[in-house]
Amino acid sequence: GGGKGAKEEEEGAHLNLNVPNEVSTMPRAVRLSVENGMVRLLNVQDIDKIQIPDPATSQRRAQQVQEMFGLFQINQVKGAPSLTIDADMSSLTECRLEADRFFAQLVLVPKGCKLLLRSLGLLSQAQQAGCLSHILRCLLPIGYQSETHKDSTGIEMLVQLLVKLIYSIGLLALVDVLKHFQASYSDGGTHLLICTKLGALALAALLRRGHDEYTKDEGTLSAEDKDNLLKWAATCQALIVRCQGGIDPLFNAATQGAISALPASMIVDAEVMVDFLYELGANANQEQRSAICSELANIASKKGDAQVQEQVSQLLQSLNWTVN
């Protein structure tokens, strides 16, 4: 058994996203992190049953949370990452940043993803923002492995984790996450991302969060809230401009369901595309919204079948845009 242990240690040292997720070959380091994280989570839950914990107990609780977060190996990248994510095969098979690979593997293990879902409420805003930035940087390889390895975390649970993170974080922290996301991808990388189901769902959830803030009763917003909304809107504008350049490939992907080198199940479908485009339009300024709608109407009239055309005309109506 000694040789096998050494081999697993070695696998743990070079965490490669191409490692299949069967328990026997899953990198040992990830498996240990999940097990140790679970132990700490249970310890915290036990402490939380105490009505009035003494200072030493409270301190022990804080330490358990800190240790659990440490096991996730979150890599807090400040500013723009050194390498941008492009529309190429290597962007699909591995994380651009070496330091991201461990966390991506953790998320791809169903038990690891469940651990994150259960423990998010214990983390600070900065820690939650770190987790979200991490996942956004690795959306392509996570989506690819989720569809190509049968034992990996499925898309439903991945989306659940993304949505929970997006709604846990304050809008101002989310602005920083969005800026970092945009600095991490090239235009081509962003266009490839929105052609994948997980990428389109992730960005739709981010945009929906902003949209939700816009629809709040203005009387309930403080001056600070309004200022944060302006910052969010400004950051969103840049993302929308970039996504506008990818509407044509997005439409082709959703209606033809084929992109070379991508598994078919990973590609965006018409329903997810419509969701994403609705949120894109809802966050856009009037001029952008008009441009998005006219481009969509134009593409749909040329390419879509009757069902897709019907979906698009409903989408245009819901964005208050009438087809001339």
Side-chain angles (χ1 to χ4, degrees):
K4 182 172 178 287
K7 184 173 177 296
E8 283 194 33
E9 286 294 350
E10 193 179 53
E11 269 177 16
H14 312 283
L15 284 167
N16 184 336
L17 269 179
N18 297 328
V19 175
N21 265 343
E22 284 82 46
V23 171
S24 59
T25 53
M26 190 171 91
R28 188 154 170 242
V30 173
R31 202 159 71 233
L32 284 171
S33 270
V34 174
E35 285 165 10
N36 291 331
M38 227 19 135
V39 169
R40 281 159 182 78
L41 177 64
L42 294 172
N43 288 345
V44 171
Q45 288 173 340
D46 281 345
I47 291 171
D48 286 344
K49 289 176 189 155
I50 302 167
Q51 297 277 299
I52 305 168
D54 57 56
T57 307
S58 298
Q59 199 178 348
R60 194 169 85 242
R61 180 190 187 278
Q63 192 186 345
Q64 292 286 310
V65 171
Q66 201 48 47
E67 283 175 13
M68 180 181 68
F69 182 70
L71 290 164
F72 300 157
Q73 292 192 23
I74 291 293
N75 164 32
Q76 298 272 23
V77 178
K78 294 280 173 245
S82 48
L83 297 160
T84 51
I85 299 155
D86 300 312
D88 56 29
M89 195 60 199
S90 67
S91 295
L92 287 172
T93 51
E94 56 190 46
C95 299
R96 262 294 177 268
L97 302 179
E98 191 95 7
D100 282 349
R101 292 180 187 172
F102 184 90
F103 186 66
Q105 277 292 352
L106 187 84
V107 170
L108 279 161
V109 175
K111 273 186 180 165
C113 195
K114 278 181 192 147
L115 171 64
L116 282 162
L117 274 165
R118 287 174 61 184
S119 61
L120 280 187
L122 302 173
L123 304 182
S124 69
Q125 287 268 306
Q127 289 171 334
Q128 291 170 342
C131 290
L132 180 58
S133 273
H134 235 304
I135 296 176
L136 292 175
R137 281 199 302 271
C138 299
L139 277 173
L140 285 168
I142 287 174
Y144 185 74
Q145 189 169 329
S146 173
E147 294 301 342
T148 51
H149 290 73
K150 65 178 190 313
D151 297 314
S152 296
T153 307
I155 190 166
E156 292 83 4
M157 204 194 295
L158 292 169
V159 170
Q160 195 186 343
L161 178 60
L162 278 160
V163 170
K164 198 167 173 180
L165 276 165
I166 287 165
Y167 278 87
S168 299
I169 299 167
L171 197 64
L172 195 59
L174 211 54
V175 169
D176 286 339
V177 169
L178 194 54
K179 282 180 181 165
H180 178 75
F181 165 79
Q182 294 189 77
S184 303
Y185 287 80
S186 66
D187 284 0
T190 308
H191 299 165
L192 175 60
L193 185 65
I194 61 176
C195 289
T196 69
K197 202 179 282 183
L198 184 63
L201 286 166
L203 283 183
L206 262 173
L207 290 164
R208 189 174 303 120
R209 170 68 199 280
H211 186 188
D212 286 352
E213 299 285 337
Y214 289 130
T215 53
K216 283 182 181 168
D217 175 13
E218 203 154 316
T220 63
L221 299 178
S222 67
E224 191 187 350
D225 290 336
K226 289 177 185 169
D227 188 46
N228 291 348
L229 256 183
L230 286 172
K231 287 178 180 151
W232 170 263
T235 310
C236 258
Q237 298 312 311
L239 176 68
I240 292 164
V241 168
R242 185 181 269 192
C243 290
Q244 275 177 277
I247 289 178
D248 197 42
L250 168 66
F251 204 94
N252 287 339
T255 51
Q256 291 160 25
I259 299 176
S260 58
L262 289 196
S265 56
M266 187 182 171
I267 298 168
V268 69
D269 57 31
E271 192 181 338
V272 172
M273 172 186 77
V274 167
D275 265 2
F276 166 70
L277 288 171
Y278 174 73
E279 294 304 338
L280 198 67
N283 277 274
N285 61 32
Q286 213 46 55
E287 198 181 324
Q288 286 177 326
R289 188 182 295 190
S290 217
I292 290 168
C293 289
S294 64
E295 185 178 357
L296 266 177
N298 186 22
I299 295 173
S301 66
K302 288 182 192 156
K303 296 186 182 167
D305 59 19
Q307 190 187 358
V308 172
Q309 285 181 2
E310 173 60 24
Q311 278 178 309
V312 170
S313 74
Q314 282 174 356
L315 170 66
L316 296 175
Q317 279 167 357
S318 60
L319 291 171
N320 297 332
W321 199 82
T322 46
V323 185
N324 299 330

